[in-house]
Amino acid sequence: MQPTDFLKDGERLDDLQLDGRFIISNKDKYCFTSDAVMLANMVTATSKSKVVDLCTGGGIISILIALKTNCNNIIGVELQPDMVDMATRSVQMNNLQDRINIVCQDVKNINQILPSGYADIVVCNPPYYKLTSGSMRENSNIAIARHEVALTLQELVQNTSKILKFGGLFYMVHKADRMAEVITTLTKHNLIPKQIYTITTNGSNIVDTFIVISKLGGKHGVIVKNIQHF
């Protein structure tokens, strides 16, 4: 089959700039950003790693991890059935169905499908904005991906700590203006930040987003670096 054979009405193929690989997207639904790509590029996984990608959306992080590592056990978790369908077809299109499983599940009920202490690595590009941070002009699909409509930071971190094994790593990207809240919430659930990468863009010295890598049960002590993104 050709990549275009996997498309439905209104969908397009986005070039991943990686060995001729593509992902399916739809302009009327949430499309991945460079934040997700940078986060996926941070993940170090082996063939034996059990990786869970929460809020997977169209599957970009799961697919990039599979393409850039030799990890054979990746589960992408997404609440919205239409995004699950699109992500599943992207996985099939890239012939990664033996390594990635996309499931439709609410992160708040993650223990219904995954046992406690299951994952070596959890990755998430979560909703960035609180419901009180401003009006939502997007359609419901995009609003759920961008705003804490269906999942708050507290709920995300709490459920991540349940499925991570002791010593496991949690990779997350978030907005810099919520950094203090993120670090406080992580620490509350014994996810101790070990590395923080601040991200500046287009030569600016103002940090817009950051990536934090936390370890369940880790010792306190963090390394902070900056990434200049153009």
Side-chain angles (χ1 to χ4, degrees):
M1 297 178 68
Q2 297 298 314
T4 52
D5 294 333
F6 291 87
L7 294 177
K8 293 184 177 180
D9 289 346
E11 296 178 343
R12 66 172 189 258
L13 294 175
D14 287 341
D15 192 344
L16 295 179
Q17 304 293 315
L18 188 66
D19 300 326
R21 303 286 189 143
F22 297 88
I23 191 169
I24 299 168
S25 66
N26 186 323
K27 66 179 179 62
D28 295 324
K29 303 181 187 298
Y30 181 78
C31 299
F32 74 90
T33 67
S34 60
D35 293 355
V37 175
M38 286 189 289
L39 181 62
N41 289 342
M42 287 285 181
V43 176
T44 301
T46 71
S47 60
K48 296 181 180 179
S49 298
K50 294 179 179 179
V51 176
V52 179
D53 172 24
L54 300 177
C55 309
T56 192
I60 180 64
I61 292 176
S62 293
I63 290 171
L64 288 178
I65 291 173
L67 293 176
K68 294 188 175 188
T69 75
N70 59 356
C71 183
N72 291 312
N73 191 338
I74 303 169
I75 298 175
V77 180
E78 171 56 40
L79 175 65
Q80 302 184 80
D82 54 344
M83 297 300 290
V84 170
D85 172 67
M86 194 162 65
T88 299
R89 285 182 284 117
S90 286
V91 168
Q92 295 168 345
M93 180 179 67
N94 286 287
N95 197 30
L96 295 170
Q97 59 268 29
D98 292 336
R99 300 171 62 195
I100 301 174
N101 181 28
I102 305 294
V103 296
C104 188
Q105 182 60 268
D106 190 331
V107 172
K108 296 192 295 291
N109 301 321
I110 193 68
N111 269 149
Q112 292 183 5
I113 60 169
L114 295 176
S116 296
Y118 168 84
D120 299 291
I121 295 168
V122 175
V123 189
C124 187
N125 180 9
Y128 284 160
Y129 305 106
K130 292 184 176 184
L131 292 179
T132 56
S133 64
S135 61
M136 290 179 290
R137 298 181 178 86
E138 307 95 343
N139 63 46
S140 60
N141 179 283
I142 296 175
I144 287 174
R146 288 173 53 84
H147 298 264
E148 293 183 343
V149 175
L151 184 69
T152 65
L153 175 65
Q154 165 70 22
E155 291 165 340
L156 167 64
V157 174
Q158 181 179 9
N159 284 280
T160 294
S161 68
K162 291 178 183 178
I163 61 171
L164 259 182
K165 75 175 188 181
F166 190 81
L169 298 178
F170 178 36
Y171 295 73
M172 178 171 61
V173 61
H174 220 296
K175 283 292 185 182
D177 61 3
R178 296 188 69 183
M179 183 182 289
E181 180 187 2
V182 167
I183 292 173
T184 300
T185 306
L186 289 168
T187 304
K188 175 183 175 182
H189 293 282
N190 202 24
L191 283 160
I192 309 303
K194 301 300 295 180
Q195 299 175 57
I196 294 175
Y197 295 86
T198 58
I199 301 167
T200 52
T201 59
N202 299 321
S204 171
N205 62 355
I206 303 298
V207 174
D208 178 62
T209 52
F210 71 102
I211 292 170
V212 56
I213 305 173
S214 305
K215 185 174 185 178
L216 185 64
K219 295 181 180 179
H220 287 275
V222 61
I223 296 172
V224 181
K225 299 180 180 180
N226 180 256
I227 300 173
Q228 183 65 235
H229 177 61
F230 296 95

